[in-house]
Amino acid sequence: MMATPHIAAEKGDFAPAVLMPGDPKRAERMAELLMPDAKVVSDVRGIKAFTGTVDGKPLSVMASGMGQPSLAIYVSELFTQFDVERVIRVGTCGGLSNGVKIGDVIVANGAHYEGIINTHLIPQTHFSAVASHNLVQAALEAATDDMNVVVAPVISRDRFYDVPDEVNAAAARVGTAGAEMEAGALYGLAALHGKEALAVLTVSDHITVKTVDMTAEERETNFQSALKLAVAAALS
């Protein structure tokens, strides 16, 4: 058994590509939808991991939990212990830019980040957390005319509440499309370990424009467009 403190699996149980939503329920839903042959390969702390095939190609799905520290634990172990080569985050975000609306899909080509999650990577330098270009390209090639897809940076935060309005306005002013809580760490870890990463995000609410937010049920079910792009990137 090649178990780590957080993943009870054997080497070879994970596919080279892993889709990673935040919510364990969403991970199970994705696995059931994409892979009729999916098998549970790990179940620790309520975070199940599934591996199966899509169009004959191996794929795994595993939740990250909420926040960059939680994601960093799972992704670090996947990259270093289980031969995973690419992780695609499939999740939701809050819209920041006036150029995005609820239901849009953001392919995050970069991630500004709050906190210190990536500050150790290049001493005395602000690290640029960016996606893998080939995964961005693969996701865009899978987009169809009925999707509203935006390619832009997001901001990855360690806090959900009490963000000052002026901070959100400043982020939007420099072209930041959305705010979420995981992509910055994911991109930093991929760079550190020589792997590939991408975040494909559905805008579930809007932070700077008054509108009606998605319900919790809608967040779980309304991910088809983002999922299609994520799978294309994962299997490219």
Side-chain angles (χ1 to χ4, degrees):
M1 178 71 72
M2 184 66 181
T4 67
H6 310 95
I7 301 174
E10 297 181 6
K11 212 168 184 71
D13 281 347
F14 283 91
V18 177
L19 297 184
M20 184 166 276
D23 184 355
K25 286 186 177 180
R26 193 174 296 138
E28 187 164 6
R29 184 180 180 86
M30 285 181 183
E32 291 173 351
L33 180 65
L34 293 171
M35 305 179 295
D37 61 345
K39 295 180 180 179
V40 176
V41 296
S42 178
D43 185 2
V44 179
R45 297 173 180 250
I47 300 289
K48 290 182 179 179
F50 306 85
T51 296
T53 57
V54 176
D55 296 330
K57 296 181 179 180
L59 183 68
S60 294
V61 181
M62 182 180 187
S64 68
M66 287 195 294
Q68 296 186 97
S70 179
L71 176 139
I73 289 172
Y74 294 113
V75 171
S76 293
E77 293 179 4
L78 290 173
F79 280 162
T80 62
Q81 302 299 320
F82 295 99
D83 297 329
V84 169
E85 293 298 323
R86 53 178 59 168
V87 173
I88 292 85
R89 165 163 156 66
V90 192
T92 58
C93 68
L96 282 176
S97 167
N98 290 339
V100 298
K101 62 184 184 301
I102 290 179
D104 286 356
V105 176
I106 297 174
V107 177
N109 59 358
H112 312 300
Y113 57 92
E114 294 182 350
I116 62 170
I117 196 74
N118 288 329
T119 54
H120 68 290
L121 295 179
I122 309 176
Q124 301 179 26
T125 303
H126 291 290
F127 176 79
S128 295
V130 295
S132 302
H133 174 75
N134 62 310
L135 299 188
V136 173
Q137 183 176 353
L140 293 179
E141 288 175 352
T144 54
D145 292 341
D146 60 332
M147 300 179 189
N148 191 17
V149 180
V150 177
V151 182
V154 296
I155 187 166
S156 299
R157 292 176 163 153
D158 289 337
R159 54 181 171 167
F160 187 85
Y161 296 108
D162 303 319
V163 178
D165 290 342
E166 60 268 26
V167 175
N168 288 325
R173 191 162 54 245
V174 296
T176 310
E180 54 90 74
M181 301 184 71
E182 289 85 19
L186 174 59
Y187 292 178
L189 287 165
L192 177 64
H193 297 292
K195 307 291 186 174
E196 296 181 304
L198 179 66
V200 183
L201 309 166
T202 303
V203 179
S204 60
D205 59 279
H206 211 292
I207 297 169
T208 59
V209 177
K210 273 194 175 294
T211 186
V212 178
D213 298 349
M214 283 186 185
T215 65
E217 182 178 357
E218 287 171 334
R219 289 175 189 234
E220 186 176 337
T221 58
N222 191 8
F223 59 84
Q224 295 292 339
S225 294
L227 183 59
K228 179 180 178 180
L229 303 191
V231 170
L235 301 181
S236 63

